[in-house]
Amino acid sequence: MRDYLLTLCVTAAVTYLLTGPVRKFAIAVGAMPAIRARDVHREPTPRLGGIAMFGGLCAGLIVADHLFNLQGVFELSNEPRALLSGAALIWLIGVLDDKFEIDALIKLGGQMIAAAVMVIQGLTILWLPIPGVGTVALTQWQGTLLTVALVVITINAVNFVDGLDGLAAGMVCIASAAFFLYAYRLWMGYGIEAAAPATLFAAILMGMCLGFLPHNMHPARIFMGDSGSMLIGLVLAAGAISITGQVDPDLMKIFEGSEREATHALLPVFIPLVLPLTIIAIPAADLVLAIVRRTWNGQSPFAADRGHLHHRLLEIGHSHSRAVLIMYFWSALIAFGAVGYSVHSASSWIVFVIIGASAVGLVLLLMPRFTPRAPHWANRFVPPRYRHRGAEEDPAAAYEEEPVPVASGAQQGAAGAGMDEEAVERAPVAVGVSGVNGATAIGARSRFPDRRSIDSSR
């Protein structure tokens, strides 16, 4: 565990330190596309954050290769090299897309080629554990097709969910943490050496996401872009393939004992199959809904829109940060719930905890629909959104409670020249002025939230 933590920390540190220079490089080369109709952010923000994440991946693999307890992963398995080869290819395609906006079909072909590169080097699904039947060996073509399909689905699922600041990196970090616990338990608890590569991949993936998140949380100073979202999607898929198709479930010896014990142990057999799906459950659901929605409307499945789950949360009334936290909550509930049930499948309290947490999640989803109102006597002690509507009609109270914004020197001068209040409020702020967000590379952030519907075009 100490070596895994060291690898994680080095990966996170390298990713964090590289993100600042990468941001300046992205601004210099013009990797700052104009704001599109489906975007949530209100100012051009540099991309290419995947360059820093790829640097963290390389640093994590190099450090792990020099640690005594992890050297066996590189000596006994070719999977780390297969991962690095596929990651380099998909990262290069993502960098080109962040700068030149390449066609979606070209990206899809690149994703399939990257998956094929990993298959050629041995990172593939060899068999599937099926309860009641046992371990079913797959032919070379079956394993290849299943591996490529899983890689492509995972990459696009993560890419689709990358729509809010910090959303994709945080969800993948939560999923990889749950995956790390399961893979580490297989390796140390059951002594299955084939689970060591997947454990290493999960630790490195957590480091990549943790190192990038401080720069990507709302308001984001840089986006990971396709170079980052496709990269972490491929690393996540590589770990799922390694733990599913390389680890023999018979080594866990879960069918030993009485018939009753075998019945209780039947469900955890599915965990190697189900866990990779639970890790991407939220992104995959968003992917399926997006394809159905676009096809139903007569559009291409690859046509971008503003109908994703995170867009729906914003339309309900959640703030940007709350929408991200709600998506974090559901990802953690599904991933850690599956891991917890695999460890204590015979304990009914796990089910009740999951049901209770799901109920809490549903309440959080509906909070903007049912905003509580405080009584009149408590209006002075609660935030404005919870005050009784009658208090808003009192001009004196509004005058006492609402702070008066202080105009800057430029705005005061404009007001003195005869400009109206709206023009003064929207006066641009020059780049580099104190108080402007670090993500501002062109102009000032608008002080008024955009309340147009998702179907409106800008």
Side-chain angles (χ1 to χ4, degrees), residues 358-379:
S358 301
V360 173
L362 292 176
V363 171
L364 294 176
L365 285 175
L366 298 176
M367 279 184 63
R369 299 290 187 184
F370 306 99
T371 304
R373 296 294 177 182
H376 290 281
W377 59 268
N379 283 333

Side-chain angles (χ1 to χ4, degrees), residues 78 81-83 85-87 89-90 93 107-125 140-141 143-152 155 234 237-238 241:
N78 197 44
R81 300 176 184 85
L83 170 66
S85 301
L89 180 58
I90 202 68
I93 296 173
K107 289 194 294 183
L108 180 62
Q111 295 167 7
M112 299 175 68
I113 294 175
V117 168
M118 294 194 300
V119 170
I120 293 174
Q121 299 189 54
L123 187 56
T124 182
I125 298 177
Q140 182 178 0
W141 281 107
T144 300
L145 292 177
L146 188 58
T147 302
V148 172
L150 182 60
V151 170
V152 172
I155 289 176
L234 182 135
I241 292 169

Side-chain angles (χ1 to χ4, degrees), residues 39-362:
D39 290 334
V40 177
H41 59 284
R42 296 292 175 262
E43 59 188 19
T45 304
R47 300 189 180 185
L48 293 177
I51 297 179
M53 304 181 83
F54 183 73
L57 171 66
C58 296
L61 290 175
I62 293 174
V63 169
D65 190 22
H66 289 79
L67 295 177
F68 177 77
N69 293 326
L70 298 181
Q71 284 182 346
V73 178
F74 297 85
E75 296 174 355
L76 303 177
S77 174
N78 197 44
E79 293 181 13
R81 300 176 184 85
L83 170 66
L84 185 59
S85 301
L89 180 58
I90 202 68
W91 169 77
L92 180 61
I93 296 173
V95 170
L96 295 177
D97 181 66
D98 289 340
K99 182 62 177 70
F100 302 106
E101 294 284 342
I102 62 179
D103 187 72
L105 292 178
I106 297 179
K107 289 194 294 183
L108 180 62
Q111 295 167 7
M112 299 175 68
I113 294 175
V117 168
M118 294 194 300
V119 170
I120 293 174
Q121 299 189 54
L123 187 56
T124 182
I125 298 177
L126 302 177
W127 52 67
L128 293 177
I130 300 178
V133 178
T135 301
V136 177
L138 301 178
T139 63
Q140 182 178 0
W141 281 107
Q142 290 174 339
T144 300
L145 292 177
L146 188 58
T147 302
V148 172
L150 182 60
V151 170
V152 172
I153 291 174
T154 307
I155 289 176
N156 286 281
V158 175
N159 192 18
F160 271 45
V161 83
D162 184 24
L164 297 179
D165 298 348
L167 182 58
M171 291 182 63
V172 173
C173 182
I174 292 171
S176 58
F179 194 82
F180 174 82
L181 294 178
Y182 179 77
Y184 185 80
R185 176 172 173 262
L186 288 185
W187 182 29
M188 301 303 296
Y190 293 94
I192 302 176
E193 292 292 336
T199 312
L200 176 62
F201 297 165
I204 292 177
L205 184 56
M206 277 193 290
M208 295 166 60
C209 296
L210 290 175
F212 185 73
L213 269 175
H215 299 273
N216 191 232
M217 293 301 292
H218 183 70
R221 303 181 69 247
I222 185 173
F223 294 152
M224 66 173 66
D226 283 359
S227 58
S229 61
M230 292 198 299
L231 175 63
I232 61 178
L234 182 135
V235 178
L236 184 61
I241 292 169
S242 178
I243 203 71
T244 303
Q246 303 287 334
V247 175
D248 188 354
D250 292 337
L251 298 177
M252 298 172 64
K253 301 178 181 180
I254 60 176
F255 289 109
E256 292 185 353
S258 64
E259 182 178 354
R260 179 180 179 182
E261 293 176 350
T263 302
H264 284 298
L266 185 62
L267 187 59
V269 179
F270 284 105
I271 297 301
L273 295 174
V274 175
L275 189 58
L277 300 179
T278 60
I279 286 175
I280 61 170
I282 301 297
D286 194 14
L287 173 63
V288 173
L289 291 176
I291 294 175
V292 173
R293 180 180 63 254
R294 295 166 184 173
T295 306
W296 183 267
N297 294 330
Q299 300 175 345
S300 169
F302 301 100
D305 58 14
R306 293 191 64 184
H308 294 291
L309 295 178
H310 47 273
H311 292 135
R312 303 283 184 181
L313 291 175
L314 294 178
E315 285 297 312
I316 290 175
H318 292 288
S319 64
H320 190 293
S321 300
R322 185 186 292 177
V324 171
L325 292 177
I326 288 176
M327 298 287 281
Y328 285 177
F329 173 83
W330 283 106
S331 298
L333 176 62
I334 296 174
F336 285 98
V339 173
Y341 201 74
S342 69
V343 177
H344 300 286
S345 59
S347 300
S348 59
W349 65 269
I350 296 289
V351 178
F352 292 110
V353 169
I354 295 176
I355 294 175
S358 301
V360 173
L362 292 176

Side-chain angles (χ1 to χ4, degrees), residues 12-32 46-53 55 211-212 215 221-223 438:
V14 172
T15 303
Y16 177 81
L17 295 176
L18 286 179
T19 304
V22 166
R23 178 180 178 273
K24 296 181 180 179
F25 171 76
I27 296 175
V29 300
M32 297 177 59
R47 300 189 180 185
L48 293 177
I51 297 179
M53 304 181 83
F212 185 73
H215 299 273
R221 303 181 69 247
I222 185 173
F223 294 152

